[in-house]
Amino acid sequence: MVGATEEARLNQLESQVDNGGGGAWEYLCLVRKLKARRSEKVLRHGIFILNSHIARSKLGGEEWTLYEQVAVAAMDCHRNDIANDCIEALSKKFPGSIRVGRLKGMLLEAKGAWPDAEKIYAQLLVDNPLDQIILKRKVAIAKAQGNLAAAVEYLNNYLETFMADHDAWRELAELYISIQMYKQAAFCYEELILSQPTVPLYHLAYADVLYTMGGLENLQAAKKYYASTINLTGGKNTRALYGICLSSVAINQLTKGRNKDEKDSADLQPLAAEALLKDYKERAPEKLPLVTAMLRNIKLVS
Amino acid sequence: MGVGFIAGVLGGLLFAHAAYSTIQYRGMLKIMEEEFSGPPTNVVIELLLGFVLCMVAGLAVPGKFHSILPDSEENRVVSLPSNLDFMIFNHRGRLSPFDPELKLKT
């Protein structure tokens, strides 16, 4: 999870390193810790450290972690030559290592040689059939080839064994959303909320899925989950505020004509609209007229 | 930090002094051949004071408290880690190649 303070620290370090203020290693460590995908910066600053002999020898054993990090970043930037050099350095140091084998497979993936990559992974799986990362890479291969149905199948098989892996549940939810199987995606998010009830982003994603499915019951549940997101973020999540506004408008449209009592949450929508306007006034005053016009259109403010 | 540490040391000294006074008091009771009815007032006061000082030190010295509220700045989750285990490489980066002069020297 990336907290607000940590993110601010990461951005501050990034601009410091970009402007030549030093602290590159600290930045790379933070990127690794937060699992951020900032491959361009990692590649640029990582190579800089690896090329300078003094900086590299200061790292000691951590040098090899950096080689791995730079290799992956290079693949992400499509600089397969750099990735290849890094992997060669690593396999010279650690011959026969599974982790290096994994990197070789990833390099083949980056080149688009799917069958070869699969062959390497299959060989590695013979020695260690429960290697989680390799099993996940197989899902990624299917996904990269555009074969989402197969990716879903692999991932379901994987989750039968490793049910507590929430990253995999999240990936499965995202895959289901991209093939528009919202019911299944909702199930995945339910699982995630059960395992980590204090992460507001899961509540938010679940509410989004429910809102997308539509129907009165789903919309009401979506509104509740948007509300819990607001509760967990202290009202600082703009998307949840919008969600409250839109889902209550949709509920009102569905219940129009029927005299269903909606008294329990009648205060919620004007409050959300008010919070939204206040937020915009503080952080983006030039967009305030747009938001006011939009909210007026859906009759949440007068 | 400094104030808390001094308070802790003072508290410890007070405890030691209280122990010393208690031993003396018991010796005196033996000489006077009286029954033990309760600790003397100065020992009780010292103990209470030492307790408060040590508590202050215990709260102040080890460091700052972390927030337990889910919506505080430290705990508020703003983004999830990108799922690097499932990372795939066929994105638009392929079309804009990265700085070709960058090379790994070996």
Side-chain angles (χ1 to χ4, degrees):
Chain A
M1 301 308 115
V2 185
T5 329
E6 279 168 322
E7 198 192 37
R9 172 97 186 113
L10 183 68
N11 289 335
Q12 183 232 324
L13 261 179
E14 184 172 283
S15 66
Q16 181 190 323
V17 174
D18 277 348
N19 297 321
W25 173 242
E26 205 185 329
Y27 171 69
L28 293 171
C29 284
L30 196 60
V31 167
R32 214 162 44 223
K33 185 184 153 212
L34 300 182
K35 292 190 192 150
R37 188 169 178 173
R38 306 203 173 179
S39 303
E40 261 185 48
K41 310 270 181 201
V42 169
L43 183 55
R44 192 177 296 281
H45 303 307
I47 285 256
F48 184 74
I49 293 185
L50 286 181
N51 278 344
S52 124
H53 197 75
I54 309 164
R56 200 176 59 185
S57 56
K58 255 189 218 158
L59 303 181
E62 295 283 315
E63 178 191 343
W64 307 108
T65 326
L66 183 58
Y67 267 115
E68 189 186 18
Q69 193 181 7
V70 169
V72 175
M75 288 176 219
D76 203 17
C77 295
H78 292 283
R79 288 299 310 270
N80 294 339
D81 49 330
I82 296 178
N84 199 30
D85 291 344
C86 290
I87 293 172
E88 254 166 38
L90 280 170
S91 56
K92 222 179 274 167
K93 171 82 182 170
F94 308 101
S97 145
I98 294 186
R99 209 156 143 183
V100 177
R102 218 152 57 199
L103 281 178
K104 281 179 186 158
M106 279 170 89
L107 182 61
L108 289 171
E109 272 182 64
K111 285 176 182 161
W114 314 115
D116 297 335
E118 267 173 12
K119 220 180 280 166
I120 285 202
Y121 290 143
Q123 266 168 15
L124 292 173
L125 281 178
V126 169
D127 296 334
N128 190 359
L130 291 177
D131 190 312
Q132 296 195 20
I133 298 181
I134 292 177
L135 291 170
K136 285 179 179 177
R137 287 319 305 171
K138 289 181 80 171
V139 177
I141 290 183
K143 194 171 88 172
Q145 285 172 304
N147 191 354
L148 292 183
V152 165
E153 198 192 319
Y154 283 141
L155 201 48
N156 271 318
N157 286 339
Y158 170 83
L159 281 170
E160 299 244 312
T161 325
F162 305 99
M163 275 173 242
D165 186 343
H166 28 79
D167 282 341
W169 279 109
R170 179 152 68 96
E171 182 69 23
L172 185 60
E174 279 161 16
L175 282 175
Y176 274 133
I177 287 177
S178 58
I179 50 177
Q180 302 185 350
M181 292 167 77
Y182 297 121
K183 240 184 179 162
Q184 287 81 349
F187 177 83
C188 299
Y189 281 122
E190 281 162 14
E191 202 73 28
L192 281 168
I193 291 175
L194 277 179
S195 68
Q196 291 177 308
T198 56
V199 178
L201 296 173
Y202 294 150
H203 292 248
L204 184 64
Y206 183 53
D208 283 343
V209 171
L210 287 175
Y211 179 80
T212 314
M213 282 200 281
L216 187 58
E217 253 173 55
N218 285 336
L219 284 172
Q220 275 165 346
K223 197 172 160 187
K224 281 179 190 155
Y225 277 92
Y226 281 126
S228 74
T229 313
I230 291 180
N231 191 17
L232 288 170
T233 51
K236 296 211 176 89
N237 193 315
T238 314
R239 193 181 174 92
L241 292 172
Y242 272 120
I244 291 269
C245 295
L246 293 180
S247 54
S248 52
V249 167
I251 290 172
N252 283 346
Q253 269 176 358
L254 280 178
T255 53
K256 214 192 300 171
R258 276 173 283 168
N259 51 347
K260 232 181 161 214
D261 49 334
E262 266 285 305
K263 271 164 199 139
D264 50 327
S265 58
D267 297 340
L268 195 56
Q269 11 172 332
L271 260 181
E274 208 176 289
L276 204 53
L277 287 178
K278 202 177 136 207
D279 205 25
Y280 269 91
K281 205 182 272 174
E282 264 172 34
R283 282 163 45 194
E286 71 275 16
K287 287 185 184 132
L288 189 62
L290 291 174
V291 183
T292 320
M294 189 276 290
L295 289 175
R296 202 167 286 154
N297 264 345
I298 56 176
K299 295 189 183 99
L300 278 183
V301 291
S302 49
Chain B
M1 175 76 192
V3 179
F5 190 72
I6 291 167
V9 171
L10 265 181
L13 285 178
L14 274 178
F15 276 143
H17 187 258
Y20 175 71
S21 311
T22 313
I23 293 166
Q24 256 199 341
Y25 179 65
R26 280 173 58 113
M28 200 180 76
L29 280 185
K30 256 181 214 159
I31 295 168
M32 312 231 317
E33 293 184 347
E34 275 180 31
E35 280 292 304
F36 176 80
S37 57
T41 345
N42 66 328
V43 169
V44 173
I45 291 173
E46 269 178 358
L47 282 178
L48 286 177
L49 209 61
F51 171 66
V52 170
L53 285 177
C54 285
M55 193 135 97
V56 167
L59 293 178
V61 171
K64 269 206 292 185
F65 282 98
H66 284 291
S67 168
I68 57 164
L69 293 173
D71 54 337
S72 67
E73 274 305 293
E74 292 161 52
N75 295 337
R76 196 159 60 88
V77 177
V78 287
S79 64
L80 295 167
S82 28
N83 240 339
L84 293 186
D85 289 343
F86 295 101
M87 171 190 226
I88 56 174
F89 304 114
N90 44 357
H91 47 70
R92 59 189 169 179
R94 198 186 291 279
L95 298 175
S96 55
F98 189 76
D99 191 2
E101 278 164 32
L102 218 57
K103 270 256 149 35
L104 186 73
K105 286 177 225 150
T106 40

